[in-house]
Amino acid sequence: MSGLVVVDQLTDWPVEIPGVEVVTAWKYLTHDEFTRIRGARVYNLCRTFSYQTTGYYVSLLAGARGHRILPDITTVQDLKLAESPSVLNDEIEELMQKSLARLGSSEYVLNVYFGDSPYVRHEKLARALFNLFPAPLLQAKFVWRGDEWRVDTLGPIALGEVPASHHEFLYQTARDYFTRRRSPPKRRDSTRYDLAILVNEDEKEPPSNARALKAFEKAAEDLGFSVDFLDKGDYGHVAEYDALFIRETTAVNHHTYRFARRAAREGLVVVDHPESILRAANKVFLAQLMERHRIPQPKTLLVHRANLDDVVRQLGFPMVLKQPDSQFSKGVIKVDNAAAFKRETREFLERSDLIVAQAFEPTDYDWRVGVLDGQPLYACRYFMAKSHWQVVKRDAKGAKSEGDHETVDIAAVPKTVLSVALQAARAVGDGLYGVDLKQFGNVVKVIEVNDNPNIDWGVEDLVLKEAIYRRIMEFFVKKLDAQTRMREPD
């Protein structure tokens, strides 16, 4: 088997291609055989990629399983961005005007199938669109504005919306695509070291407090950076910098992710990298990633509407339920009986087709190990809030109380805690992460891996002091220097 075509219904893809198996999205998501396959090529032809639908999870979990997926989850998110048309207009201006010249109409719809068009004159434009947004089936709508063509909308097109006259072209293009190699993306030239730090002054629980931001600024300037603080209104200026450091709480359906994606596309060094945001933001992905890398975690099951009774049998009560995109203890609940389980899973599954259930394993505190570039940066013990099972306790009105914290020298952290933390972080990437763990004697288990971890003045910096800020800025220097060396002629 050289590939998997994943569809909502088997009748959606009536073509037989040697070495390619057609499976339903639900089977791909829920059958263990697809978790065990290594290195498979997966072509996601689901009808929708809306957030937390089965089509979305096919692309998300394919990444967790180490499969080569088209479209990958970053592309799925890119296609949802309201800014995509404006980005496209800048990227493909010349091709667009040449390809659409002398059409004699004020609108034109172009379908792109695996990077190709049925019309020879649009082949280069189709390839350019695919290179920017590599998805099997794309549809772009162009409109004539004054004296030039502009992109109006761009998004995936469902198989059922492909015109019958295009079917044979689509099938042949798919056959060709499944067997040919793709070239890597080009990199942007960069010559200056200018750092942008994205912040939100109105955020109630930012990942770094004001004094920490000042310390980051000083450390960067000491290393030769020019530093600007940006907010969400500065999206159009991202490409003016060499690096982007996001110090606002990240989320997938959020402008922080759009900033990260734009910066990565422009060739900036980005922390948090968009792939880190996607991977760490979703508990479903993390659960599968930890399983794939055999990293210990509490007994964890993916929950869907068809396996509720099995989850109860395997985990028992109490258990912990996690909304896939939960943050700061929000969307993470403990259920103590069948009635609560039924009520809460019904509510969670209305928002996401998959959620996470874990065995409840209480401890007095959680470890948080900060990891940068695959190496330990800091370590803290976060103690549970008074009379509560989590570090943060929130009441019905949203008010919160927190347990104590203790920052620990890395040299004093148990070796097993460090080892498991580094394994978990390296499975996600090489950026900046906060790994939460529970320790039971010599047994250590990962609770989650956070991108965008807190680094506050007076908390995480208590051991390293100013050095923690400098080490993070040195990471940017290391990455930028490496980029510069790659661009220098031999």
Side-chain angles (χ1 to χ4, degrees):
M1 183 186 66
S2 62
L4 294 170
V5 170
V6 181
V7 292
D8 290 294
Q9 297 180 14
L10 292 179
T11 54
D12 288 348
W13 188 255
V15 184
E16 290 189 10
I17 299 175
V20 176
E21 180 182 353
V22 182
V23 299
T24 65
W26 199 244
K27 183 176 181 180
Y28 178 78
L29 292 175
T30 60
H31 284 219
D32 287 342
E33 65 186 280
F34 298 107
T35 301
R36 294 189 295 267
I37 293 173
R38 295 290 177 253
R41 290 189 177 187
V42 182
Y43 307 94
N44 184 356
L45 300 183
C46 289
R47 297 169 186 171
T48 177
F49 301 126
S50 296
Y51 189 51
Q52 295 190 350
T53 60
T54 51
Y56 178 91
Y57 277 117
V58 167
S59 287
L60 184 74
L61 295 193
R65 295 167 179 175
H67 297 169
R68 291 171 286 177
I69 176 70
L70 187 80
D72 63 22
I73 196 64
T74 56
T75 300
V76 169
Q77 285 300 129
D78 283 353
L79 287 168
K80 300 175 186 176
L81 305 186
E83 291 84 356
S84 291
S86 61
V87 172
L88 275 170
N89 287 328
D90 294 337
E91 299 264 10
I92 62 168
E93 179 71 33
E94 184 177 348
L95 271 176
M96 186 165 48
Q97 305 310 322
K98 185 181 297 185
S99 180
L100 302 176
R102 299 184 300 278
L103 280 181
S105 64
S106 59
E107 294 184 358
Y108 186 74
V109 175
L110 174 66
N111 287 354
V112 180
Y113 309 120
F114 292 92
D116 209 348
S117 166
Y119 307 104
V120 175
R121 68 177 297 179
H122 299 316
E123 286 179 349
K124 290 183 179 179
L125 178 59
R127 172 57 58 180
L129 290 170
F130 180 80
N131 285 341
L132 288 170
F133 298 92
L137 311 179
L138 290 171
Q139 185 176 86
K141 180 181 178 182
F142 303 90
V143 295
W144 180 258
R145 296 263 175 85
D147 58 352
E148 63 181 0
W149 287 97
R150 307 297 288 171
V151 179
D152 185 49
T153 60
L154 174 77
I157 179 175
L159 276 169
E161 296 172 358
V162 175
S165 60
H166 290 184
H167 283 180
E168 189 51 45
F169 179 85
L170 164 62
Y171 301 148
Q172 186 56 52
T173 303
R175 291 186 188 98
D176 294 341
Y177 185 85
F178 290 169
T179 57
R180 74 172 179 258
R181 299 171 65 89
R182 267 72 65 193
S183 59
K186 294 182 179 179
R187 294 182 177 270
R188 180 182 73 92
D189 287 333
S190 175
T191 56
R192 300 181 303 151
Y193 287 3
D194 294 335
L195 173 68
I197 303 179
L198 181 64
V199 297
N200 180 355
E201 294 182 356
D202 297 324
E203 186 173 7
K204 293 181 180 179
E205 300 177 24
S208 287
N209 55 24
R211 293 189 69 172
L213 292 176
K214 283 292 184 184
F216 278 122
E217 182 180 23
K218 182 180 184 302
E221 290 176 346
D222 288 346
L223 290 169
F225 282 99
S226 173
V227 181
D228 287 330
F229 287 93
L230 307 186
D231 63 25
K232 66 179 180 180
D234 294 313
Y235 179 80
H237 298 290
V238 170
E240 299 170 13
Y241 297 87
D242 300 298
L244 174 66
F245 186 30
I246 300 178
R247 285 285 86 192
E248 177 180 0
T249 301
T250 55
V252 174
N253 281 351
H254 194 250
H255 67 265
T256 49
Y257 177 79
R258 295 196 288 272
F259 268 76
R261 281 300 298 154
R262 177 73 188 277
R265 181 178 292 132
E266 295 291 343
L268 280 70
V269 173
V270 190
V271 175
D272 298 322
H273 193 275
E275 287 187 359
S276 293
I277 296 174
L278 279 170
R279 292 171 176 175
N282 193 285
K283 304 296 188 292
V284 172
F285 179 94
L286 286 175
Q288 291 258 294
L289 190 68
M290 296 302 106
E291 180 180 339
R292 173 189 165 200
H293 288 276
R294 299 181 180 179
I295 297 170
Q297 60 183 334
K299 186 174 178 58
T300 301
L301 298 174
L302 299 189
V303 183
H304 49 80
R305 290 176 178 84
N307 73 338
L308 298 179
D309 292 340
D310 188 51
V311 170
V312 172
R313 281 195 300 271
Q314 291 197 51
L315 295 184
F317 298 109
M319 76 171 75
V320 176
L321 298 177
K322 296 183 177 182
Q323 191 174 303
D325 51 2
S326 54
Q327 293 178 324
F328 301 120
S329 302
K330 299 175 183 177
V332 179
I333 61 172
K334 178 166 67 77
V335 292
D336 296 311
N337 53 58
F341 175 80
K342 183 177 180 180
R343 181 180 65 251
E344 298 296 345
T345 53
R346 182 189 302 118
E347 182 177 340
F348 277 18
L349 289 170
E350 286 178 357
R351 296 193 293 269
S352 174
D353 287 342
L354 297 173
I355 62 174
V356 170
Q358 283 188 329
F360 177 58
E361 299 185 0
T363 53
D364 292 334
Y365 61 85
D366 285 350
W367 280 104
R368 163 70 63 85
V369 177
V371 179
L372 176 66
D373 198 18
Q375 299 300 319
L377 180 66
Y378 67 88
C380 292
R381 292 189 183 100
Y382 297 130
F383 291 84
M384 303 303 152
K386 186 176 180 180
S387 302
H388 192 57
W389 62 280
Q390 292 172 293
V391 171
V392 178
K393 181 180 181 181
R394 301 178 190 274
D395 63 23
K397 296 182 180 179
K400 70 168 187 171
S401 60
E402 299 183 53
D404 292 333
H405 60 82
E406 178 187 6
T407 306
V408 180
D409 192 309
I410 290 293
V413 179
K415 291 182 179 179
T416 307
V417 171
L418 283 181
S419 175
V420 175
L422 294 180
Q423 290 176 56
R426 289 167 182 166
V428 176
D430 67 351
L432 175 63
Y433 309 104
V435 184
D436 293 344
L437 313 102
K438 287 186 179 293
Q439 182 182 9
F440 312 88
N442 292 325
V443 177
V444 176
K445 299 181 181 181
V446 172
I447 302 303
E448 61 188 38
V449 181
N450 303 276
D451 73 297
N452 199 244
N454 275 64
I455 298 178
D456 281 319
W457 187 90
V459 183
E460 288 79 12
D461 66 355
L462 284 177
V463 171
L464 289 179
K465 306 295 185 183
E466 291 81 5
I468 192 171
Y469 305 102
R470 185 178 179 90
R471 284 180 61 179
I472 293 171
M473 291 302 108
E474 287 173 342
F475 173 76
F476 282 100
V477 173
K478 172 186 172 181
K479 293 289 188 180
L480 289 166
D481 285 349
Q483 282 189 356
T484 301
R485 287 193 296 271
M486 288 181 65
R487 295 179 186 124
E488 290 175 349
D490 295 332

